[in-house]
Amino acid sequence: MTTGICVVGAGFWATSMHLPAFAQLEDAEVRCVVAASEESARRTAERFGIPRWSTDLAQAIAAPDIDLVDIVAPPFLHSEAVLLAAAAGKDAICIKPLGRSVGEAQGMLDAVEQAGTRLFYAENVPFIPAVQEAKRLVDAGHIGRVFRVRASEGIGKPHSDWFFDPALSGGGAVLDMAVHSIEFCRYFADSPVASVYAETGTFVWGDRTPAEDTAVLTMRFASGAIGQCDDSWSLTGAMDSRFEIIGTEGRILIDNLYRQPLQVVSAMGSALAPQGWSFPLPIPGLVADGHLDMLAHFLTARREGTPSRSEGAVGLEVLRVVDAALGSARTGVRVEVNAAGKHNQNHHEGAIA
Ligand SMILES: NC(=O)c1ccc[n+]([C@@H]2O[C@H](COP(=O)([O-])OP(=O)(O)OC[C@H]3O[C@@H](n4cnc5c(N)ncnc54)[C@H](O)[C@@H]3O)[C@@H](O)[C@H]2O)c1
């Protein structure tokens, strides 16, 4: 069964990850792409061989040949697009962060529940092949009982202006970057976050944004395990992506930058070695960062009516931790995570088959 897809967004992430991934998935057919400008929508449609393009979100989503809406646009559009999809009876995939706030995300889940449609939360980290292998090892007991987890996701600079405007993006490094690390820690702690303490600061981009560009979070899970997240927009020069799981009988380090045998950082920039990290023997990020496996998993879950490890509720849980972390950064005290409510469930089902 082919799934007719409308991709909302034609920027960096849609064109470098989701559209190339759908092009590789046999049961996926992107039938429309939506962007803010006609020029960008048309160019993207031509580049990926998509039959329709639009700047009219509601009309594009409502088209009868669209089964699934993949939202890869900035956060200010996430809720609107999910609500339109639900109203049209269409399932949706929403890229991280699920919304700009807990309230916005809760509204999205309520709309989906009322409509009887599905919402998947596109957080790629649990789908990274190395993370999946680590999950299999942990679940098989290879490192004993997990009592500490830590994650680091950092970049030097957000690539679009909207990231710097909290009204559009929803926030800074906690909402944009720590969401990845929080979900990694939740995946391996396999327990709800009970409380969080956060230190944040704006060290590099203070002339562009009132939001934090640097965040360090310490979490305590209900199980007693400790999680640490170190996330930023302040790693000048090149990104970082590292994860660690520590158990009573061993530990696992996943350095997602060291995923390839040859790695180069160049500040000069050339055709052979562009600026920042480059990997002259490439395993595409599409594969190494789990995006292909994530989207394939969503299509399968939708087709077969099976639960996903990354339902929309996961995105809401992550936002509850974000909210508590921002409260802690403001007040200087540890904040309990408000985990009450029907969506306070982990959807962990071990390694993804
Ligand atoms: N690892 C990851 O999962 C990852 C990495 C990067 C970005 N992202 C997320 O992807 C999303 C998009 O980020 P990006 O980097 O592609 O941004 P971008 O600035 O490169 O592109 C934004 C796109 O949204 C479109 N858009 C803006 N307003 C619109 C409107 N009113 N109607 C229709 N389209 C509109 C623009 O035309 C553009 O194509 C964000 O939520 C971001 O956090 C996720």
Side-chain angles (χ1 to χ4, degrees):
M1 184 183 73
T2 303
T3 306
I5 300 167
C6 173
V7 171
V8 178
F12 171 54
W13 215 240
T15 58
S16 57
M17 294 296 170
H18 285 215
L19 286 166
F22 284 134
Q24 289 191 29
L25 295 172
E26 272 182 15
D27 48 349
E29 197 173 293
V30 179
R31 295 180 176 150
C32 184
V33 61
V34 184
S37 80
E38 292 199 2
E39 161 63 13
S40 159
R42 185 182 45 77
R43 207 173 347 104
T44 305
E46 281 168 9
R47 179 173 157 202
F48 288 93
I50 302 165
R52 289 199 308 276
W53 52 269
S54 179
T55 56
D56 186 328
L57 195 56
Q59 202 178 51
I61 287 174
D65 63 347
I66 299 301
D67 309 303
L68 177 66
V69 182
D70 181 33
I71 301 149
V72 208
F76 65 84
L77 219 58
H78 292 184
S79 171
E80 182 184 344
V82 166
L83 264 54
L84 282 169
K90 313 290 172 78
D91 294 335
I93 297 171
C94 183
I95 194 78
K96 53 62 60 175
L98 188 63
R100 288 171 295 181
S101 66
V102 168
E104 199 169 53
Q106 184 68 65
M108 293 156 74
L109 289 186
D110 289 346
V112 165
E113 192 176 322
Q114 266 178 19
T117 54
R118 291 190 74 174
L119 173 62
F120 299 102
Y121 174 55
E123 165 54 67
N124 62 293
V125 166
F127 295 88
I128 292 172
V131 171
Q132 278 297 295
E133 186 57 22
K135 184 70 174 156
R136 279 186 280 272
L137 291 168
V138 169
D139 287 351
H142 285 269
I143 64 166
R145 183 171 45 82
V146 171
F147 62 92
R148 276 181 69 198
V149 277
R150 58 180 172 212
S152 178
E153 284 280 328
I155 55 171
K157 184 191 178 193
H159 59 274
S160 286
D161 287 344
W162 60 260
F163 284 94
F164 290 120
D165 181 350
L168 301 177
S169 64
V174 179
L175 187 71
D176 185 53
M177 301 301 293
V179 290
H180 294 298
S181 294
I182 291 167
E183 184 51 7
F184 172 84
C185 291
R186 278 169 30 94
Y187 193 30
F188 282 94
D190 205 11
S191 168
V193 181
S195 65
V196 58
Y197 173 76
E199 290 284 355
T200 64
T202 310
F203 300 100
V204 178
W205 298 111
D207 58 339
R208 299 285 307 276
T209 181
E212 75 286 347
D213 60 26
T214 304
V216 178
L217 275 53
T218 306
M219 299 181 291
R220 179 70 80 166
F221 289 88
S223 65
I226 296 169
Q228 291 164 279
C229 304
D230 167 350
D231 303 282
S232 76
W233 289 340
S234 51
L235 286 185
T236 302
M239 69 174 290
D240 201 0
S241 181
R242 276 183 251 195
F243 310 94
E244 201 164 1
I245 311 142
I246 301 167
T248 50
E249 308 295 329
R251 61 200 163 101
I252 299 173
L253 172 67
I254 302 163
D255 192 334
N256 210 31
L257 290 177
Y258 285 78
R259 61 201 181 195
Q260 310 191 36
L262 182 57
Q263 302 134 54
V264 179
V265 166
S266 169
M268 309 277 290
S270 71
L272 283 179
Q275 277 189 339
W277 283 106
S278 63
F279 308 95
L281 300 174
I283 299 170
L286 194 61
V287 174
D289 290 338
H291 302 284
L292 190 62
D293 284 354
M294 176 183 72
L295 292 172
H297 164 77
F298 291 154
L299 290 182
T300 304
R302 197 183 159 274
R303 191 178 54 241
E304 297 180 358
T306 47
S308 163
R309 82 143 312 275
S310 199
E311 305 279 350
V314 171
L316 175 61
E317 284 306 299
V318 171
L319 286 181
R320 288 193 203 286
V321 182
V322 166
D323 208 36
L326 293 172
S328 171
R330 254 192 324 270
T331 57
V333 298
R334 186 161 80 166
V335 172
E336 289 191 5
V337 176
N338 175 8
K342 57 192 166 177
H343 295 300
N344 180 33
Q345 267 186 339
N346 276 336
H347 288 259
H348 298 164
E349 286 154 10
I352 295 143

